[in-house]
Amino acid sequence: MSWQPHITVATIVEDQGRFLLVEELAAGQAVFNQPAGHLEADESLIEAALRETLEETGWEVELTGVTGIYLYTAPSNGVTYQRVCFAARPLRHHPERPLDEGIIGPRWLSREELAAQPERWRSHLVLRCIDDYLAGESFPLTLIRDHHLPATGAA
């Protein structure tokens, strides 16, 4: 049996005390998550965070730092995810842009509004990442060392 963690990115976007969240369907239930998703082949972590945020919310953002790196095993399926969470500021919204399948839409919520609905969190990391961000956890983007190697290159 082969065990492989899944690499994901998430983005904390704050504007005047409200956070950009994605309302999406997971197992038939409407839940909240940060704009988040899986790293794709030949993509940097930074590119993935920008792409996922745009695809899931219609928002272009500027990444400002790294909030944290989290390891999480989902009780629902036993899959282990490594989440790299970025902080960002909103730049432009494109409300006409079609969103990814399963996305109900972007929602701006305060921490208190989100905390009052734990049954709607995609995982406990949703509030944990916001709390780390609010506690001032921020590392420079240079923490991320993306190096694309040629297909024949050695690691």
Side-chain angles (χ1 to χ4, degrees):
M1 183 172 152
S2 172
W3 175 82
Q4 284 189 319
H6 294 248
I7 308 301
T8 63
V9 294
T11 308
I12 302 289
V13 183
E14 182 193 14
D15 187 32
Q16 299 178 30
R18 299 180 80 72
F19 295 91
L20 178 61
L21 296 163
V22 174
E23 187 175 16
E24 61 187 343
L25 291 175
Q29 180 182 353
V31 296
F32 293 120
N33 197 7
Q34 275 86 30
H38 292 267
L39 179 68
E40 294 182 355
D42 299 319
E43 181 177 55
S44 74
L45 291 166
I46 289 171
E47 291 166 343
L50 294 171
R51 175 186 54 77
E52 287 289 353
T53 303
L54 183 61
E55 289 177 354
E56 292 191 350
T57 68
W59 277 91
E60 288 180 53
V61 298
E62 176 186 7
L63 300 180
T64 59
V66 177
T67 301
I69 301 171
Y70 306 83
L71 197 61
Y72 171 72
T73 301
S76 60
N77 60 14
V79 173
T80 298
Y81 298 91
Q82 180 178 1
R83 173 187 263 211
V84 179
C85 188
F86 293 90
R89 68 179 186 90
L91 296 177
R92 277 177 289 297
H93 188 219
H94 301 277
E96 73 290 346
R97 183 181 170 87
L99 304 178
D100 279 353
E101 187 176 331
I103 302 294
I104 298 168
R107 305 288 183 257
W108 289 92
L109 298 176
S110 69
R111 187 224 179 261
E112 292 74 25
E113 291 168 329
L114 181 63
Q117 305 176 67
E119 71 284 355
R120 298 214 43 214
W121 304 343
R122 178 80 186 248
S123 80
H124 77 277
L125 289 180
V126 177
L127 193 64
R128 169 72 192 270
C129 290
I130 288 174
D131 284 345
D132 287 350
Y133 168 85
L134 289 171
E137 294 290 338
S138 182
F139 303 90
L141 290 173
T142 55
L143 176 70
I144 304 299
R145 309 286 178 156
D146 285 316
H147 296 282
H148 296 292
L149 298 175
T152 58

